[in-house]
Each structure stands twice: as C-alpha cells, then as structure tokens.
Amino acid sequence: MRKSLMILFATCLLAALASQALAQTPPPPPKVLSIFREDVKAARGTAHEKLEAGYVAAMRKAKWDTYSLGLSSLSGVGDAWFLTGYPSLEAMETDRRNIDKNAALSAEFERLDEQDAQFRTNQRQMIARFADDLSYQPSVDIPHMRYFDVITFRVRPGHEAQFGEAARLIRDAYMKAKTPNVHWATYAVMSGAPAGTYLVFIPMKSLKEIDASMEAEKDFMMALGEDGGKKLEKIASEAYVSMESSIYAFSPRMSYVPKEWEDADAAFWKPKAMTVAKAPVKRAPAKTASAKTSTETKP
C-alpha cells in the first residue's frame, strides 16, 4: 500500500513512546521558543562543543535565570541547535536587554563569539510559538529524555488549515488506538524561516523507541482507517512543500539547565569537564637547554 509523506509522519510519531512517567504532571512546553542553529564544520564537532561549554560556564557564573538546551545532530546536516523557552515575546526581549546590561556577561559572550566563528559555516535564528491545538500530550519529563526527532514541515501558502486537519486526524487515531504514551509538541515559526514552517518535536529517551514504533504501527493504521489514510495522502499532496526528519541528541555540555534537571539525573546533566590532549614536550639538546620549549594544544 502506497504511503504519503503524512503517513510517514504518522509512523515517526509512534517513536515517541515514553518509558517513564512522573508522579506529577510535567509543565507544558514554553509558549515562545527561541532557536539558534549553527551549521558546524566537518570534523569540528568536539572542538565546537568544548567552546560552547564556555557559554554555559559564563551563564552559571552570572547565576542567570534563563536556561537553554543544546542539541547535536545525529542525522541530516551537521548542526547544533540551542533552544531557549519564554512565556512571551516580551519576556524574551527583557532577557536580551538584561544580558546587554550585564557588562561582564556581554563581554564574555563577545569573546566566545569571536572564537566560535571558526567552527561555523552558517547560522540561523528562529522564533516560534507553541501550537497547542496541533500537539498531543506535549507535557513530558524532558530531564529524562535524551533525543528529539525534529520534523520540519513547509506548508504551501493558504494551506495551513489542511495542516491542522492532518494533525487532528493523527491525534484522534492515537486516542482511538489507546496509546497514552505518545507525545509531540508543534511550533509554528513566526520569524527566521519561510512562511508556513512548522517544527514538530518528538521526545525520546532511547533510540530503541524507534524500533518499538514499527510494532505499534499496525494499531495506529487500524485506528486511522482507510478513509483517514486517504485524507492524509490528499493533504500531503496538496498542502506540503516538503517534510524533513532529523534526530538530535541532547548535549549536557552545551546545555544550561535548572537545578531541578540536574537533580533529576546528575550523571547525565553534570558530566565531567572535557579534557584536551596535549602534544608531548620536545626537549632541546643539552647545548641549547636554555632555549624556550613550547607545547601545542590541539582541539
């Protein structure tokens, strides 16, 4: 049976089988998400991550009260994402103004920015708003997650309503199939990307959840039904310009997270500092022992 891009999307969503539930309901996703994406040069990922840890150290020293989650790509282009959530655009503006007012923090950021440029080929800043009506059970125990499957949709102008219809069809099928541990959060990009861009974040604790999704696909397809499948295929052919799925791993070294996250899983969120191997010291011959020697640190 031929499957459209939307059916593939539905299959990807089954990868969101959460393995653990909290005694209390986790908070919902932030209403506004600031996304800073850096395209990282080939073979420079480790050095880039080490430098990014400097930003985390600077914010920790300043005892900053706005946090960010760093992600490293496992598929797709080699890039890193930095996610910062806010309750509103006003709160985002206030946070940036406060950074500008903090001379020490601003100076350190500028110093790190100059060094960071050597690892990047491009960068993009996006601002997105949370679309609760296009999400399904979005409140998740994020501190215990390890990956996001990020699905990027580009919807044709004037077809946003069809995208919403597809999301509701998929959500209703999951409810009918009685799969309570499926979660996803949808964000509509407001600025920084082409109009009609939507980002769907699917949290995973382990990549083996993708394996489990294959077994659960049958139940979803039965709940969706033949008519629902045909509707999704029609929407995919009419409404979508493109769809891309990429898996990102949480990077604790590039993340500045609240103490509650660290307490939830200290072994993951408080890793040991990265060390850089040093080249052996080259000793001068005895007759030139007074000459200076040097060591070279390679990232």
Side-chain angles (χ1 to χ4, degrees):
M1 175 180 175
R2 182 175 63 86
K3 295 182 179 180
S4 68
L5 290 177
M6 256 325 286
I7 297 299
L8 291 176
F9 171 39
T11 302
C12 289
L13 289 178
L14 284 163
L17 302 174
S19 60
Q20 183 176 355
L22 288 178
Q24 297 181 348
T25 302
K31 293 182 178 179
V32 174
L33 194 63
S34 172
I35 305 168
F36 188 75
R37 169 187 167 177
E38 295 182 344
D39 293 338
V40 182
K41 291 181 179 179
R44 303 297 283 166
T46 300
H48 175 255
E49 184 178 32
K50 181 176 181 293
L51 179 68
E52 291 296 337
Y55 291 92
V56 176
M59 297 183 76
R60 185 174 288 118
K61 181 178 179 180
K63 297 182 179 180
W64 213 247
D65 58 2
T66 301
Y67 303 96
S68 65
L69 175 63
L71 310 173
S72 295
S73 61
L74 295 184
S75 61
V77 298
D79 59 351
W81 286 29
F82 301 90
L83 312 179
T84 305
Y86 298 96
S88 65
L89 289 171
E90 180 182 11
M92 182 180 73
E93 180 183 33
T94 299
D95 181 53
R96 296 189 177 187
R97 284 180 176 174
N98 289 339
I99 290 177
D100 292 339
K101 293 177 182 178
N102 189 311
L105 185 60
S106 296
E108 180 63 5
F109 279 2
E110 290 177 5
R111 185 186 71 83
L112 292 168
D113 285 346
E114 291 181 1
Q115 297 183 33
D116 196 26
Q118 65 183 304
F119 303 121
R120 301 194 303 256
T121 59
N122 201 359
Q123 66 184 47
R124 178 188 289 269
Q125 177 80 43
M126 292 181 284
I127 301 174
R129 61 174 178 80
F130 176 53
D132 185 45
D133 59 325
L134 303 180
S135 305
Y136 182 63
Q137 300 187 143
S139 297
V140 179
D141 178 20
I142 293 295
H144 287 100
M145 297 296 110
R146 296 295 177 262
Y147 304 93
F148 275 138
D149 183 2
V150 182
I151 304 178
T152 303
F153 286 91
R154 303 204 188 282
V155 178
R156 299 183 189 280
H159 289 266
E160 289 82 2
Q162 283 182 288
F163 181 78
E165 180 184 2
R168 287 187 288 273
L169 282 170
I170 295 172
R171 182 176 57 194
D172 292 347
Y174 277 121
M175 294 177 66
K176 184 177 180 180
K178 298 180 180 180
T179 52
N181 290 327
V182 173
H183 309 266
W184 75 83
T186 301
Y187 280 84
V189 177
M190 304 167 57
S191 179
T197 298
Y198 293 86
L199 303 173
V200 179
F201 292 85
I202 304 171
M204 295 181 288
K205 188 172 183 179
S206 169
L207 293 181
K208 70 179 181 181
E209 295 174 16
I210 298 178
D211 298 327
S213 71
M214 304 304 174
E215 300 178 4
E217 180 183 357
K218 182 178 179 181
D219 292 338
F220 171 81
M221 296 303 297
M222 289 182 62
L224 182 64
E226 184 176 356
D227 290 342
K230 290 180 178 179
K231 286 182 180 179
L232 290 182
E233 289 186 351
K234 186 174 185 296
I235 292 173
S237 64
E238 294 178 353
Y240 300 155
V241 175
S242 65
M243 184 204 78
E244 180 180 1
S245 174
S246 298
I247 297 175
Y248 290 86
F250 290 11
S251 173
R253 291 185 176 91
M254 297 195 302
S255 300
Y256 176 57
V257 300
K259 186 176 184 300
E260 291 77 12
W261 286 34
E262 295 180 345
D263 292 342
D265 195 341
F268 179 77
W269 292 111
K270 299 177 69 175
K272 295 181 180 179
M274 297 179 68
T275 58
V276 180
K278 293 184 177 181
V281 176
K282 296 181 179 180
R283 299 188 180 279
K287 64 179 180 180
T288 58
S290 61
K292 294 183 179 180
T293 61
S294 63
T295 60
E296 180 183 5
T297 300
K298 295 185 179 180

